[in-house]
Amino acid sequence: EHEIDLMHAVSRIMLHGFIDNIQVSWTKLGAERARQMLSRGVNDLGGTLMNESISRAAGSQHGQEITALELCRIIRSAGRVPVRRNTVYDTVDVFRDHDPEEVAPLVARNSDPLGFLEMFPKASR
């Protein structure tokens, strides 16, 4: 775990001016660990993947879908302002004072991927 933290933090320093955005994959690390990474050099939380199979084939059990509203809750709980960007990182929407539309997950879930946010009283639920 600490190696991953260090890798992202050092990458932020070394790549400054060359690569501005460093992403964490919640499908690989889980939503809770991805949230932690937002304060350790990461400034981009990967979005929802449809029919994600690579991480699951490698043994990941974190799921394949988190809704836009759930992504915003993770980001806010880390003290950050959620921003939706397109593929080339142009800003599409800033969720400073509003939320994305709440939609039901497309994939059936066995558990709540954001259950860990209960530990953070200020987290927007």
Side-chain angles (χ1 to χ4, degrees):
E1 285 184 18
H2 298 296
E3 292 83 10
I4 292 172
D5 294 350
L6 184 59
M7 177 184 69
H8 284 84
V10 170
S11 296
R12 166 69 57 213
I13 295 166
M14 291 181 61
L15 299 172
H16 179 72
F18 297 103
I19 297 177
D20 297 324
N21 301 291
I22 298 178
Q23 185 179 91
V24 64
S25 172
W26 63 264
T27 57
K28 291 175 180 59
L29 299 179
E32 182 174 2
R33 189 82 174 108
R35 179 201 177 274
Q36 293 171 353
M37 299 303 292
L38 289 171
S39 65
R40 297 180 177 145
V42 170
N43 70 329
D44 185 3
L45 179 58
T48 294
L49 306 171
M50 294 301 154
N51 297 316
E52 190 284 330
S53 61
I54 296 171
S55 296
R56 290 183 296 142
S60 177
Q61 298 179 3
H62 299 295
Q64 61 179 324
E65 177 186 24
I66 291 180
T67 67
L69 180 59
E70 290 170 329
L71 286 169
C72 282
R73 288 178 177 160
I74 292 169
I75 294 164
R76 284 191 183 116
S77 75
R80 303 284 185 103
V81 176
V83 176
R84 180 176 172 211
R85 299 184 188 277
N86 62 20
T87 303
V88 294
Y89 281 86
D90 293 328
T91 298
V92 175
D93 200 351
V94 178
F95 296 103
R96 188 174 314 282
D97 56 4
H98 66 287
D99 288 327
E101 180 182 344
E102 186 167 5
V103 296
L106 298 174
V107 178
R109 296 178 175 177
N110 295 330
S111 62
D112 177 9
L114 303 188
F116 73 93
L117 287 177
E118 298 299 325
M119 295 185 296
F120 306 99
K122 292 183 178 183
S124 173
R125 286 290 286 170

